[in-house]
Amino acid sequence: MAAASAAGAGSRPGDVALAHPPKDGVTAVAFAPKDGSDGLLVSSWDSTLSLHTGSTGARLVSHAHAAPVLDCCWQTHTAALTASLDRGVRVVDFGSATSTATVLGYHGAGVRCVRWSQSHSCAVSAGWDGTVRVWDPRASKQVAELGLPSKAFGMDVCVDGVSSGAADAVVVACEGRRLVTLDLRDTSSAAEDREAALKHQLRCVAAMPGKPAGAAAWGNSGAPGVAIGSIEGRVSLEHLSPAVTGAASATPGFAFKCHRRDAGGDAGPVAHPVNAIAFNRRHGTFATGGGDGTVVLWDGGAKKRLGKPSAAFPTSVSALAFSHDSSLLAVAVSYAFEAGDIEHPPDAVVVRRLDDADIRPRAKKASA
Amino acid sequence: MGRKGRGGSAKAKLPSICFYCMREFQDETTLVAHQQARHFRCVECNRKLRTLSAMRHHLDGVHKVQLKRVPNAKEGHDDPNINCVGMDGAPAWFMHQLMAEHGDPAAKEALAAVAGAGAAAAAGVPVGVAVVDPVAAAVPGAAGAAPGAAALAPPGPGAAAAAPGGAPAGLPGAHGGMPVEVATAAAVAGPSGIRFVFTDEAMSPEEKRAMLPRYAKAGIAVRRDGLTA
């Protein structure tokens, strides 16, 4: 069953540590997009994509790649998409007895992010070659390619983000703090290309869950958008512009500081990179994970932190994922090289069970 | 949480920032209330005064004390002679820096040029440029705008004399190597003085990790610009 010492420091009773975590840094974790399922994908610098059972921590399958896997996501509940340092985008199928991988194609350089769009039945990937590419897995070929202003550092798909729900929007965070939005109906040019509100390198992007997530429309803020984390311990919630969403007017976003700790002594506070952001579908609230090893829950609509930051894990939090029914949170406790190549605790993934009270939004105050 | 100018428009309204302690506020009214509570409050008797000069007069008249530093103000921002209420009365160099950071491209280039020229003359490395965000934008502007910048009112008296002489020598020499060096070495402290664990603006931690020999395989070595070897 679960390892007794679930990642040591920072664990709460009831946390389940994966019994066979990857042997090198964890780049992404993702729960299966099916209610009741706790299948957890983990991609890693040890070149594997593995599938685990979130509730027990047991490992089901591990698929070896030729090079570190930088991102992964689910396509169907038995197949996954992977983005690899060897420039390839692949579909890994777990349906049969042995897992098989099919290459969809290659970027010009390492692929940093990959996502699946259910409504458009296509995979989208973005890489360090400065392109975002759209793939059709049935034909195993590239369908579209768009040049970005610079290397991509983060990406997510804003389901139903375009034109009041007619299509999905892909938001890519690039070097140089640029945010590019792509309408999946027309990938010949970017729907929007602008500077993010953050002043330092963008690190991760998470799209607010859309209307289907019950009352929690758009991360409780009323308009489609994304949460963006930077290397500076700051997160900004930004909304897609009205030109993209078809809304009547722009919804203002805001930014807040997080993952900043006092390093002790008289050195003053230190800002850690925000490595991961994940929204839950049940309430539209979100979690952030940082280089300081903590996980913090936030309510974007009420602009409040939910509860206290978690007790710090032994090393950075490199990836986060909520389960489909929002009852579990997978936390990848894995040094993300924020301070260069140094000794670090072993990489682990911890699955934490959440109470509804942990992620329920707080009521907005009547007066600001 | 303070509200910054929207990322979307280049012409974002200037945010309300307290000159003395650099904190941001939603509007001018809250900013003034903050200043009265934090900076214009008499340290002896706790009375809140309306302006800094009113507090100085009060301290002098009632308590017979000379004000040396503005209470609760940051280093370099605590001159008791600068009477700033809201954003009125803030010195020109501060307003200029604010405008540069919040979207005026011409101001941004000019500021980078002056800061770069001044520091280049002093230290040989344009460290000052790091204060204004992304280096890549500032560098080409700095080299071009340097001759014009000498005409602007620069922040310190030394920079004015140094700029015409120092700029041609300092900037072109450093220009070629600048984007890499400044991004990693000079960003020791962000504009607000907080230290960052990870300072590189141009490369992500994943790219740096991918450059390590243990991840290098034939055909997928990562160069500094992210392209494969």
Side-chain angles (χ1 to χ4, degrees):
Chain A
M1 279 284 260
S5 61
S11 305
R12 294 204 301 231
D15 281 354
V16 170
L18 293 187
H20 298 279
K23 300 200 169 34
D24 203 344
V26 178
T27 51
V29 288
F31 273 104
K34 199 161 86 121
D35 264 331
S37 165
D38 59 357
L40 180 64
L41 276 183
V42 178
S43 59
S44 164
W45 282 88
D46 70 353
S47 307
T48 63
L49 172 73
S50 45
L51 177 64
H52 307 252
T53 311
S55 50
T56 62
R59 184 174 65 186
L60 300 172
V61 188
S62 172
H63 185 91
H65 286 63
V69 186
L70 300 180
D71 196 11
C72 66
C73 70
W74 289 89
Q75 182 196 342
T76 64
H77 55 268
T78 54
L81 291 161
T82 60
S84 175
L85 184 60
D86 71 354
R87 307 176 292 118
V89 179
R90 295 175 174 77
V91 177
V92 178
D93 196 330
F94 297 118
S96 48
T98 54
S99 51
T100 53
T102 323
V103 174
L104 291 183
Y106 292 90
H107 274 249
V111 192
R112 180 68 185 90
C113 323
V114 69
R115 286 286 180 271
W116 171 251
S117 165
Q118 187 62 35
S119 1
H120 298 262
S121 296
C122 62
V124 190
S125 61
W128 292 335
D129 59 348
T131 63
V132 57
R133 300 181 191 223
V134 184
W135 312 88
D136 178 355
R138 280 169 305 185
S140 282
K141 69 181 185 69
Q142 178 178 317
V143 168
E145 174 181 334
L146 181 68
L148 298 166
S150 47
K151 299 175 285 192
F153 288 160
M155 179 181 84
D156 204 357
V157 174
C158 207
V159 178
D160 295 339
V162 180
S163 304
S164 313
D168 292 350
V170 177
V171 180
V172 187
C174 304
E175 181 214 344
R177 306 153 45 222
R178 296 209 71 84
L179 272 188
V180 176
T181 309
L182 201 60
D183 177 341
L184 277 178
R185 291 173 306 180
D186 173 17
T187 49
S188 55
S189 64
E192 194 188 21
D193 178 349
R194 62 177 172 87
E195 264 200 351
L198 296 165
K199 295 253 177 299
H200 294 273
Q201 187 197 106
L202 307 178
R203 186 109 176 81
C204 51
V205 183
M208 299 176 189
K211 295 223 180 328
W218 307 121
N220 295 333
S221 54
V226 293
I228 313 167
S230 77
I231 56 170
E232 185 223 349
R234 202 182 289 261
V235 168
S236 129
L237 260 63
E238 301 195 25
H239 297 272
L240 306 182
S241 72
V244 174
T245 61
S249 57
T251 322
F254 67 96
F256 60 93
K257 293 186 263 206
C258 51
H259 298 289
R260 294 173 172 215
R261 312 225 108 190
D262 242 316
D266 55 0
V270 170
H272 291 263
V274 178
N275 294 327
I277 307 180
F279 279 88
N280 65 75
R281 298 174 69 257
R282 192 196 303 164
H283 289 297
T285 50
F286 62 100
T288 58
D292 58 343
T294 62
V295 176
V296 191
L297 293 161
W298 311 87
D299 177 354
K303 299 192 186 174
K304 284 188 175 323
R305 192 181 65 200
L306 300 173
K308 288 204 163 71
S310 71
F313 285 101
T315 183
S316 324
V317 172
S318 60
L320 287 172
F322 280 94
S323 60
H324 203 244
D325 59 5
S326 308
S327 63
L328 301 172
L329 175 66
V331 182
V333 181
S334 170
Y335 179 59
F337 273 63
E338 297 93 339
D341 193 7
I342 57 175
E343 284 288 312
H344 59 87
D347 308 288
V349 180
V350 173
V351 179
R352 176 163 290 181
R353 189 158 286 279
L354 298 169
D355 295 322
D356 191 69
D358 292 336
I359 51 175
R360 199 170 48 214
R362 301 287 177 263
K364 277 199 179 102
K365 272 199 163 116
S367 52
Chain B
M1 300 165 205
R3 196 177 270 222
K4 283 201 156 116
R6 290 170 212 181
S9 63
K11 306 176 203 24
K13 198 163 77 72
L14 272 191
S16 297
I17 297 191
C18 173
F19 164 71
Y20 300 112
C21 66
M22 300 299 287
R23 258 210 253 167
E24 279 192 56
F25 296 87
Q26 295 214 6
D27 52 58
E28 195 88 352
T29 326
T30 331
L31 166 59
V32 174
H34 151 83
Q35 289 175 328
Q36 290 180 343
R38 289 282 282 170
H39 306 300
F40 307 159
R41 195 188 280 271
C42 172
V43 292
E44 306 284 334
C45 65
N46 237 14
R47 185 195 263 263
K48 264 181 8 193
L49 279 307
R50 275 204 326 109
T51 70
L52 184 65
S53 74
M55 185 180 74
R56 283 177 58 203
H57 277 109
H58 166 82
L59 272 172
D60 188 36
V62 174
H63 302 291
K64 310 279 191 276
V65 159
Q66 297 295 323
L67 182 67
K68 295 275 175 21
R69 298 187 53 224
V70 176
N72 301 309
K74 293 213 143 133
E75 289 289 328
H77 291 245
D78 55 4
D79 182 354
N81 293 311
I82 299 181
N83 189 16
C84 177
V85 178
M87 304 216 64
D88 249 339
W93 59 264
F94 176 71
M95 294 307 291
H96 207 70
Q97 192 165 26
L98 254 200
M99 289 203 305
E101 280 185 9
H102 290 273
D104 186 348
K108 198 183 273 224
E109 285 187 357
L111 179 71
V114 177
V125 174
V127 171
V129 181
V131 172
V132 182
D133 44 7
V135 175
V139 170
L152 272 184
L171 286 172
H175 185 90
M178 242 182 75
V180 171
E181 277 140 12
V182 178
T184 52
V188 170
S192 54
I194 192 170
R195 290 175 305 134
F196 295 3
V197 170
F198 185 79
T199 54
D200 199 332
E201 294 290 341
M203 288 192 87
S204 58
E206 285 73 28
E207 288 168 283
K208 294 186 166 223
R209 186 174 190 166
M211 286 171 70
L212 291 174
R214 62 178 178 269
Y215 298 116
K217 300 201 162 141
I220 57 169
V222 178
R223 290 209 307 253
R224 279 193 160 260
D225 57 9
L227 300 176
T228 52

